[in-house]
Amino acid sequence: MKVISSIIDIKKISSDLRNSGKSIGFIPTMGALHMGHTSLMEKAKKDNDAVILSIFVNPTQFTAGEDYHNYPKDIEKDKIIASKSEVDYLFLPSADEMYPEGYKTFVNVEDITEPLCGKFRLGHFKGVATVVLKLFNIVKPKRAYFGEKDYQQLLVIRRMARDLNLDIEIINMPTIREKTGLAMSSRNRYLNQNEMVSAAAIYKALKISQEMVKDSERISQKIINEIERVIKSEDGIKIEYISICDPDTLEDMKIINDRALIAIAVRIGNARLIDNCMVEVR
Ligand code: PAF
């Protein structure tokens, strides 16, 4: 695995790959890699001739008071994980090169960035869409890989790719979970042992809500009340939102009469955690 830190160098590498007819699979990350990321790397390896992984803790997607300066960093371990997963090129751009002085251009995907996390993290998705488009323009991959845990992010990137006519296939992969069901996330590193145990309630609540839908419950508020009860039965969890919504528009669904996304965001100790599942009524 080659480690590349300058934009011009990775552009040359990816252009040489494309010119020699090789397909590039790209995984943008913020590092602190876990098994969620390795599942993306493995899929990218299967689908493409070459795999590029980026690690860049993107300042523009953190809102004031968030964990930008404390975001978990473990670059040496990340290098080992990426090279074991047969990543060909690890791209580590600097913030100065990504956002040089005088930087003024941002990508704004409308509407679907407003509910759920958008309500609590103002400007977050503008930062995500901007950095992902920049990385796409630098790497010019054939395919790019994202995890379903960050469902809203995935939707925003898909919409951006479609609206801006990007010739990049966006591929989503299922959430990878701990044995307890807790969705893998770099931010799980903030949790102590007790908080890890409490955090398992998020998945437990999602499973119960799926069962309720299977048992013909259609009234969203009843399901939300049950999720709230399950999560609140654990110590130290503060619910940010519980939403049952249309998976395409993210608009609230009062009655579940089709496919619906159930999305949860909570705070536990120093961590803000999100998770989701899909339910379907036939
Ligand atoms: O999901 C992430 O790690 C980030 O939001 C992403 C897509 C790499 C953009 O910075």
Side-chain angles (χ1 to χ4, degrees), residues 87-263:
V87 164
D88 298 293
Y89 300 94
L90 176 60
F91 177 44
L92 303 174
S94 69
D96 285 347
E97 213 189 349
M98 288 294 277
Y99 298 109
E101 226 178 280
Y103 188 90
K104 292 290 179 204
T105 306
F106 291 89
V107 181
N108 185 31
V109 178
E110 295 183 351
D111 296 341
I112 54 170
T113 49
E114 281 171 23
L116 310 185
C117 292
K119 215 187 258 172
F120 294 85
R121 306 186 73 190
L122 288 180
H124 166 69
F125 289 112
K126 186 167 105 175
V128 170
T130 300
V131 81
V132 170
L133 182 60
K134 281 174 69 68
L135 290 166
F136 281 178
N137 282 336
I138 292 166
V139 173
K140 296 199 180 77
K142 183 171 168 63
R143 302 183 182 90
Y145 297 80
F146 297 88
E148 289 168 8
K149 179 179 73 67
D150 299 304
Y151 182 90
Q152 190 172 16
Q153 166 171 287
L154 177 65
L155 202 66
V156 168
I157 291 164
R158 272 193 190 288
R159 181 60 56 91
M160 172 181 78
R162 197 199 314 163
D163 289 354
L164 298 182
N165 310 96
L166 305 184
D167 289 324
I168 298 173
E169 199 182 325
I170 307 298
I171 293 171
N172 45 292
M173 291 293 286
T175 302
I176 304 293
R177 299 179 179 282
E178 303 284 353
K179 278 201 190 83
T180 61
L182 175 65
M184 295 221 180
S185 161
S186 304
R187 288 187 168 100
N188 290 354
R189 296 183 189 205
Y190 297 146
L191 302 174
N192 65 30
Q193 208 113 44
N194 289 339
E195 290 165 344
M196 277 291 241
V197 172
S198 300
I202 308 166
Y203 184 61
K204 190 173 158 201
L206 286 173
K207 291 302 279 180
I208 290 173
S209 61
Q210 280 179 320
E211 285 306 313
M212 287 176 79
V213 176
K214 254 195 211 146
D215 292 343
S216 304
E217 183 56 73
R218 299 285 174 267
I219 302 171
S220 297
Q221 193 55 53
K222 286 199 182 163
I223 299 169
I224 290 172
N225 292 346
E226 183 58 14
I227 294 175
E228 210 173 297
R229 192 192 64 73
V230 173
I231 291 180
K232 283 188 174 161
S233 72
E234 285 295 337
D235 284 339
I237 311 191
K238 252 182 70 190
I239 296 170
E240 198 167 81
Y241 66 74
I242 301 167
S243 172
I244 300 186
C245 57
D246 181 296
D248 300 320
T249 63
L250 304 183
E251 279 166 16
D252 275 342
M253 260 175 128
K254 288 197 163 40
I255 303 288
I256 304 176
N257 48 20
D258 196 353
R259 229 160 60 93
L261 174 79
I262 306 186

Side-chain angles (χ1 to χ4, degrees), residues 35-132:
M35 280 160 68
H37 295 115
T38 50
S39 83
L40 304 181
M41 298 178 216
E42 280 158 18
K43 174 79 172 132
K45 192 74 200 171
K46 265 191 213 137
D47 291 350
N48 302 280
D49 301 315
V51 176
I52 301 180
L53 176 106
S54 66
I55 296 181
F56 177 61
V57 182
N58 171 36
T60 65
Q61 71 187 74
F62 290 81
T63 61
E66 284 191 340
D67 54 348
Y68 173 60
H69 292 290
N70 306 322
Y71 195 81
K73 283 183 195 75
D74 199 343
I75 196 67
E76 290 315 313
K77 195 166 161 214
D78 286 352
K79 281 182 187 167
I80 295 170
I81 294 172
S83 97
K84 270 195 184 150
S85 301
E86 294 181 72
V87 164
D88 298 293
Y89 300 94
L90 176 60
F91 177 44
L92 303 174
S94 69
D96 285 347
E97 213 189 349
M98 288 294 277
Y99 298 109
E101 226 178 280
Y103 188 90
K104 292 290 179 204
T105 306
F106 291 89
V107 181
N108 185 31
V109 178
E110 295 183 351
D111 296 341
I112 54 170
T113 49
E114 281 171 23
L116 310 185
C117 292
K119 215 187 258 172
F120 294 85
R121 306 186 73 190
L122 288 180
H124 166 69
F125 289 112
K126 186 167 105 175
V128 170
T130 300
V131 81
V132 170

Side-chain angles (χ1 to χ4, degrees), residues 18-46:
R18 281 190 310 278
N19 290 340
S20 58
K22 296 217 157 81
S23 60
I24 300 171
F26 176 51
I27 305 137
T29 80
M30 298 209 299
L33 301 177
H34 50 72
M35 280 160 68
H37 295 115
T38 50
S39 83
L40 304 181
M41 298 178 216
E42 280 158 18
K43 174 79 172 132
K45 192 74 200 171
K46 265 191 213 137

